[in-house]
Amino acid sequence: MALVLKFLNGTYIFRKCPKPNVASCPFLGTHFVDYCSSSLQKPVAAPGKTSSQRNSEGDLQGHHQREVALDITSPEEKPLISFDKAIKDEIKDQLRRLKDDIVNHWIGPEGRPLHEVLLEQAKVVWQFRGKEDLDKWMVTSDKTIGGRSEVFLKMGRNNQSALLYGTLSSEAPKDGESGRSGYCAMISRIPRGPFERKRAYDWSQFNTLYLRVRGDGRPWMVNIREDTDIMQRKNQMYSYFMFTRGGPYWQEVKIPFSKFFYSNQGRIRDAQYQLLLDKISSIGFTLADKVDGPFFLEIDFIGVFTDPAHTEEFAYENSPELNPRLFK
Amino acid sequence: MSWAQAILLARGLSWGWGGICGAALTRAPFSQAPLWAPRGLHRSATACNSDSWLVPPSPEPPKGPPKAPAPHEELFTQALGGTRDKANFVRAVQNFGQHNVYKRGHVDFIYLALRKMREYGVERDLAVYNLLLDVFPKEVFRPRSIFQSMFIHYPRQQECGIAVLEQMESHGVMPNKETEFLLLQIFGRKSYPMLKFIRMKLWFSRFKNINPFPVPRDLPQDPVDLAKLGLRHMEPNLNATVTIYQMPSSKDSTGAADPTEPHIVGIQTPDQQAALAHHNPARPIFVEGPFSLWLRDKCVYYHILRADLLPPEEREVEEIPEEWNLYYPMQLDLDYGRSGWDDYEFDIQEVEEGPVFAICMAGAHDQATLAKWIQGLQETNPALAQIPVVFRLAGSTGELLGSSSGLEDPPPPPPEGQEEEEDNQQRQQQGQS
C-alpha cells in the first residue's frame, strides 16, 4: 500500500516532467522520476517564493532517494556504496520505523502517553543541539532561478544553536522574464513515517509560535505550509513577519497563529481564512527585503505554546470590496 | 482629388491605424512604430505642405545608433543642468505631453520613467507617481459595455498601471485619494489597477505598524547619530546611557600622517556596570567583533565587551534574606498548585552565554580604536583597570566566536590572544599611571 502511495506520488510529479522512458520497476521508476523533477531549475510560475517552495519539494523527494538512484543516473561516478547493500539497509530502516510506529500507537500519540500530550502547554518542535538536527532543514536561495544569493546553514558556537548566514543579492537573473530577485529561505523537511509516508504536525492545542533567535536587524518572513500534495494547495502558505532586533542579546519572538495571512503563489489572497493547525507540513524562514548584503540568523530552538492571554481567532477580516461573493 | 493627395491620404490612413494598433497591442514591436512614424511624417511633410490633420513634424532629434535607446529617452538625457533631482524629472514628464497631443507611446514612456526614478531619487515620492499616472489619457480606457469589461480592456495599459502601483508597493509608498481618482478616471472601477489599489489600501494599513522595533525611514547621515540610533535599537534596557568617547576629527586638519580619528560611541546599562564591578579580576574579559547590524538598508558594525560563562562551581548562590514581616513579605512564591496543566516552560535548556558588559560602535575596527574605548570605559568602571582584556577581533562573519570550551571553528589563535592580554595589562597600567 505504501508502494502504491509512492507510485501515486511519483506519477503526479511525472506529469510535470515528461521523460520518454520510465524505468521498468515501479519502485525505481518513482525514484528516477523524483530525481528528474528536482533537476527542474526553471519554474513555470512567477519567480519569488513559489520557485523556492517548488524546488524545495523536488529537492525534498529527490534528496532522500539520491543514494539509491546514484548508480542509475550517473554511471560514470564511482558508487560509494553497493546497490544491494543500500537496498537492504533501506528496507531494514523502513521496517524498523514501521515497528516503532505500531508500538508507539499503543502507547499514545507519537509515542507519548495521552495524559502527557493532553496537558502539554509548551512544546519544543525543533531544536539545534547537534548535526542531526540540521538534517531536518534545508536551505534554498534564488540560485535556483539564476540569481546570486548564497545561503548556508551550520551549527553555531558550542553546538548550541544553528547559524543561517549568507549574502543576499537582488540582481535579477537575465532570463528575460524575472523582474526582481533576491531571496533566501530555510525550510523544514516534511516529517516522514515508515516507507516515507508523509506525516503532519498537529498543533491544534497550541496557539502561538515561539522562536528564540538572534538576528542582525533584518525582517524575516515565517511561512507555514500545509499538506501540499493536493493540487489546489500546491503553492499556498500562511505567512507572517518576524522582525529581528539585532545585537548580542537573544530575542524571543512570539507569533500567534491567528496572525498568519493566507497567500497563494507569493501573493496575498483576497479571501482570508485562519490557519488550521491540525495538519501542518513544514515551516520556513525567508529573507527577501531587497537590501543587498550579508546576513545571519542564529536560532536556538523553535517551539509552540499556548498563550492563555491570547484569545483572538483570526486577525484579518474579509472586505466586501474585494470579496463581494462572501457577503451576499 | 489629385494623385499626390490620394497617395498621401492612403499613406496617412494606413500609418494612423497601424500606429494606434501597434501602441495598444504589443510592447516589443512598438519600438519600431515611432521609428517609422516620424519617417512617415517627414515624408509626408516633404510631399505635401497643406494638409490639416497631419501633425507638424515633431522637433525630436532623429534616432541615433541602430541599437536604439528606449523611446523618449532623450527627454531624460536633455535634463537641463544635468542634475538628477525631482524638478528635472517632473519637467521631463511634463515635456512628454507637449510634443504630441495624442500622447503616443505613453506606455513605453511610463515604463522608462519608472526605471529612471531611482536615478533621480524620487522613487518614494507620491506626488511624482501621481504625475506619472496623469500621463495616461483619461476616459479612453474605461470599459463601456459588459463585453468590454468581461475581457481585459486595453491590456497593455492596465499592465502599465499595475506596474506603476507595483513600484509604489515595493518602495512602501501609500497611495492617496488623488491616486484613486486618477485610476478611476483612467481605468474605471472594475479594472485591475483599481483592484490592486484597493488591495494596497487594505494591506498597507494592516501592516503599517507591525514592527516592534521600528527604524525611522530617514536615517541620520552623521555617523555619530547613526551609531547612537543603532546602539539604542540594540539595547532593550531603557536605563542605558550612551557615551561618545571620541568624535570624528574634521577632514580639513593638516597632518597627512595622522589619519582621521574615527568616532567611538558606547552604551552601558547600570546593571552591566554593577556586574562589571563584581567581576572576578582573575578571569579575562573579551572584546569581540565586529558584528553587523542592519538599520533598513545601512549596515553598521559593533563590538561587545563580554565575559565567559562561569562554570557551575564558581557561580555565586543568592542569599535569601530572612523575612522580617510576614504581612509584607519581601518575596512571594506563588508557584504552588502548578501541575502539568500549568507548566508553560519549554522542556529545553536554553543557550546560556556569558554576560555582556558594554557595546560600542566605532568608525574603525582595529585594536587601537577599541583600546581607546576601553580606556574611556575605565572612567565609569574603575574595576576595569584590574581585569585583563583580550581582543578577539575576527572578520565579520556575523557569528559570535566560540568560547574557551568546545570550539568548532577556531577563533584567532590563542597565543596572539595571550600576547594581546599582556600588552593590555601593560596598557592598563600605563593608562592608570
Side-chain angles (χ1 to χ4, degrees):
Chain A
M1 197 270 285
L3 287 180
V4 170
L5 200 68
K6 218 161 159 44
F7 188 61
L8 287 173
N9 280 347
T11 47
Y12 158 69
I13 297 163
F14 173 60
R15 260 180 242 121
K16 277 196 310 205
C17 92
K19 269 275 179 182
N21 48 340
V22 186
S24 52
C25 168
F27 192 65
L28 292 172
T30 53
H31 283 254
F32 189 64
V33 165
D34 286 347
Y35 187 71
C36 118
S37 82
S38 75
S39 63
L40 263 180
Q41 294 295 325
K42 207 155 155 49
V44 178
K49 291 189 203 64
T50 52
S51 47
S52 74
Q53 302 293 350
R54 255 184 82 142
N55 280 298
S56 71
E57 283 207 52
D59 282 341
L60 214 66
Q61 280 133 9
H63 171 86
H64 213 87
Q65 267 58 266
R66 196 157 299 185
E67 288 165 5
V68 184
L70 200 62
D71 314 316
I72 306 177
T73 50
S74 54
E76 66 270 18
E77 214 175 325
K78 191 165 170 247
L80 302 161
I81 43 172
S82 79
F83 187 68
D84 294 326
K85 183 168 175 299
I87 288 270
K88 280 195 200 115
D89 281 344
E90 186 83 13
I91 291 178
K92 269 191 236 166
D93 192 36
Q94 302 295 344
L95 287 173
R96 181 179 51 82
R97 281 204 227 169
L98 182 65
K99 181 205 60 140
D100 284 340
D101 196 39
I102 294 173
V103 165
N104 286 341
H105 193 67
W106 282 108
I107 303 176
E110 290 162 28
R112 295 150 78 214
L114 191 64
H115 61 265
E116 203 183 289
V117 171
L118 283 182
L119 293 179
E120 193 179 37
Q121 304 283 46
K123 178 173 158 189
V124 176
V125 190
W126 286 282
Q127 58 184 16
F128 297 97
R129 298 286 184 264
K131 271 263 156 37
E132 61 276 359
D133 293 322
L134 283 187
D135 287 338
K136 292 189 196 148
W137 295 80
M138 65 179 170
V139 287
T140 45
S141 71
D142 68 348
K143 273 215 161 91
T144 48
I145 53 166
R148 299 248 187 104
S149 323
E150 295 173 341
V151 62
F152 309 100
L153 179 66
K154 69 171 188 188
M155 289 305 289
R157 58 178 265 178
N158 276 351
N159 272 3
Q160 292 276 325
S161 55
L163 180 70
L164 178 74
Y165 67 100
T167 322
L168 195 72
S169 150
S170 57
E171 196 186 310
K174 298 205 166 63
D175 55 0
E177 60 169 7
S178 337
R180 299 176 291 180
S181 177
Y183 68 87
C184 299
M186 173 166 129
I187 307 158
S188 76
R189 296 192 195 271
I190 303 176
R192 301 270 177 176
F195 297 111
E196 308 299 322
R197 292 191 61 200
K198 282 193 192 174
R199 286 283 146 89
Y201 296 107
D202 181 7
W203 295 337
S204 33
Q205 55 192 35
F206 306 106
N207 69 356
T208 318
L209 183 70
Y210 179 97
L211 305 129
R212 189 154 192 260
V213 296
R214 180 160 55 187
D216 54 349
R218 290 222 193 193
W220 290 76
M221 194 148 174
V222 182
N223 308 317
I224 295 185
R225 308 196 73 191
E226 296 188 334
D227 186 22
T228 48
D229 267 348
I230 311 173
M231 194 64 178
Q232 289 85 356
R233 291 228 205 114
K234 201 157 69 83
N235 289 317
Q236 291 170 353
M237 63 187 175
Y238 293 85
S239 342
Y240 199 63
F241 306 98
M242 171 172 85
F243 292 97
T244 51
R245 188 174 207 145
Y249 305 114
W250 282 99
Q251 181 190 351
E252 298 176 350
V253 179
K254 293 184 196 163
I255 308 178
F257 287 120
S258 62
K259 296 274 188 204
F260 282 82
F261 56 84
Y262 200 17
S263 61
N264 177 20
Q265 289 202 339
R267 307 241 174 212
I268 301 184
R269 248 176 62 149
D270 287 339
Q272 290 289 327
Y273 199 70
Q274 68 181 96
L275 167 63
L276 295 171
L277 293 156
D278 53 346
K279 270 202 184 307
I280 299 222
S281 190
S282 69
I283 198 173
F285 302 99
T286 311
L287 177 69
D289 61 346
K290 303 177 255 225
V291 174
D292 296 343
F295 65 88
F296 73 92
L297 182 76
E298 229 179 308
I299 312 177
D300 181 11
F301 70 92
I302 299 170
V304 284
F305 77 107
T306 325
D307 190 356
H310 187 79
T311 47
E312 192 185 37
E313 285 196 9
F314 190 50
Y316 312 108
E317 46 181 32
N318 292 308
S319 89
E321 285 181 325
L322 285 174
N323 288 312
R325 273 185 280 183
L326 286 178
F327 287 85
K328 286 229 175 97
Chain B
M1 196 191 306
S2 80
W3 166 83
Q5 273 181 345
I7 290 201
L8 183 64
L9 201 57
R11 201 184 288 151
L13 274 173
S14 66
W15 163 80
W17 282 116
I20 292 177
C21 295
L25 281 175
T26 46
R27 240 180 292 144
F30 186 79
S31 51
Q32 299 155 17
L35 278 175
W36 51 262
R39 252 188 274 132
L41 277 175
H42 290 308
R43 247 187 279 144
S44 57
T46 50
C48 170
N49 47 10
S50 71
D51 245 308
S52 52
W53 69 266
L54 279 179
V55 178
S58 54
E60 282 171 7
K63 300 289 180 271
K67 207 167 41 168
H72 312 291
E73 173 113 19
E74 63 280 348
L75 282 170
F76 285 99
T77 52
Q78 276 169 10
L80 305 163
T83 50
R84 311 214 143 181
D85 62 347
K86 182 175 165 180
N88 282 329
F89 189 87
V90 165
R91 198 177 303 137
V93 172
Q94 279 163 348
N95 279 347
F96 170 73
Q98 285 167 11
H99 290 320
N100 34 16
V101 181
Y102 302 107
K103 298 196 182 173
R104 274 175 231 122
H106 59 271
V107 171
D108 266 344
F109 176 73
I110 290 179
Y111 278 120
L112 174 70
L114 285 175
R115 282 199 295 269
K116 294 273 183 184
M117 260 192 189
R118 192 168 262 269
E119 289 173 20
Y120 285 75
V122 290
E123 70 265 10
R124 282 204 244 121
D125 200 340
L126 179 60
V128 174
Y129 282 109
N130 283 339
L131 196 72
L132 208 55
L133 275 180
D134 209 12
V135 172
F136 278 109
K138 316 285 182 299
E139 310 284 344
V140 184
F141 307 132
R142 291 175 71 160
R144 294 221 178 98
S145 65
I146 304 181
F147 303 104
Q148 283 181 349
S149 51
M150 267 201 300
F151 300 102
I152 308 178
H153 202 50
Y154 281 100
R156 299 293 149 222
Q157 277 77 0
Q158 288 208 13
E159 273 176 20
C160 187
I162 291 178
V164 174
L165 286 172
E166 199 160 318
Q167 189 165 35
M168 266 206 264
E169 180 187 9
S170 82
H171 285 115
V173 177
M174 175 85 182
N176 65 355
K177 283 230 171 280
E178 195 187 333
T179 323
E180 182 179 4
F181 187 64
L182 275 166
L183 288 174
L184 216 53
Q185 263 190 326
I186 301 168
F187 294 111
R189 199 178 300 272
K190 299 277 183 174
S191 58
Y192 285 96
M194 197 62 201
L195 201 57
K196 185 169 174 80
F197 170 81
I198 294 174
R199 285 185 190 125
M200 274 168 86
K201 213 166 58 156
L202 181 71
W203 291 104
F204 273 22
S205 38
R206 273 180 183 164
F207 292 145
K208 197 171 151 77
N209 294 321
I210 52 170
N211 192 348
F213 318 114
V215 177
R217 184 51 95 142
D218 301 310
L219 290 171
Q221 299 295 323
D222 183 26
V224 176
D225 287 333
L226 192 65
K228 281 203 278 194
L229 180 75
L231 288 173
R232 283 265 176 229
H233 185 77
M234 284 197 293
E235 179 62 61
N237 196 337
L238 293 172
N239 283 335
T241 44
V242 175
T243 339
I244 305 178
Y245 295 106
Q246 186 174 285
M247 292 289 286
S249 62
S250 54
K251 295 274 166 54
D252 48 27
S253 61
T254 59
D258 179 28
T260 52
E261 291 174 348
H263 61 276
I264 306 176
V265 189
I267 193 171
Q268 198 182 32
T269 62
D271 293 337
Q272 286 170 343
Q273 261 184 320
L276 192 53
H278 287 308
H279 186 79
N280 185 2
R283 307 189 68 84
I285 55 178
F286 307 99
V287 174
E288 289 178 3
F291 304 110
S292 56
L293 172 75
W294 284 91
L295 295 166
R296 279 210 189 255
D297 55 347
K298 278 211 182 121
C299 184
V300 290
Y301 295 94
Y302 64 93
H303 296 259
I304 56 179
L305 184 70
R306 66 136 29 102
D308 271 342
L309 201 58
L310 292 173
E313 56 268 7
E314 286 188 31
R315 272 176 226 181
E316 291 176 4
V317 179
E318 260 187 57
E319 293 177 8
I320 306 172
E322 214 179 291
E323 296 283 350
W324 54 272
N325 189 348
L326 284 176
Y327 290 105
Y328 301 98
M330 286 194 279
Q331 283 182 343
L332 265 182
D333 187 18
L334 293 173
D335 273 350
Y336 46 80
R338 291 213 144 190
S339 64
W341 186 264
D342 266 335
D343 185 17
Y344 292 95
E345 305 293 323
F346 284 98
D347 188 19
I348 188 173
Q349 182 75 351
E350 285 181 351
V351 171
E352 280 192 6
E353 288 177 356
V356 173
F357 294 123
I359 317 175
C360 93
M361 279 200 198
H365 305 310
D366 59 334
Q367 201 169 311
T369 328
L370 294 169
K372 280 192 209 157
W373 170 48
I374 301 286
Q375 280 171 2
L377 265 181
Q378 273 180 16
E379 291 162 27
T380 42
N381 304 288
L384 194 51
Q386 268 76 35
I387 308 174
V389 178
V390 179
F391 285 82
R392 276 207 203 136
L393 306 173
S396 57
T397 53
E399 55 172 302
L400 287 177
L401 296 169
S403 68
S404 48
S405 60
L407 295 171
E408 232 195 339
D409 292 323
E416 190 185 290
Q418 282 164 11
E419 275 169 40
E420 287 163 351
E421 182 180 334
E422 288 159 18
D423 276 350
N424 274 334
Q425 275 183 322
Q426 288 169 5
R427 217 169 282 172
Q428 304 285 327
Q429 287 156 7
Q430 279 167 12
Q432 231 184 338
S433 58

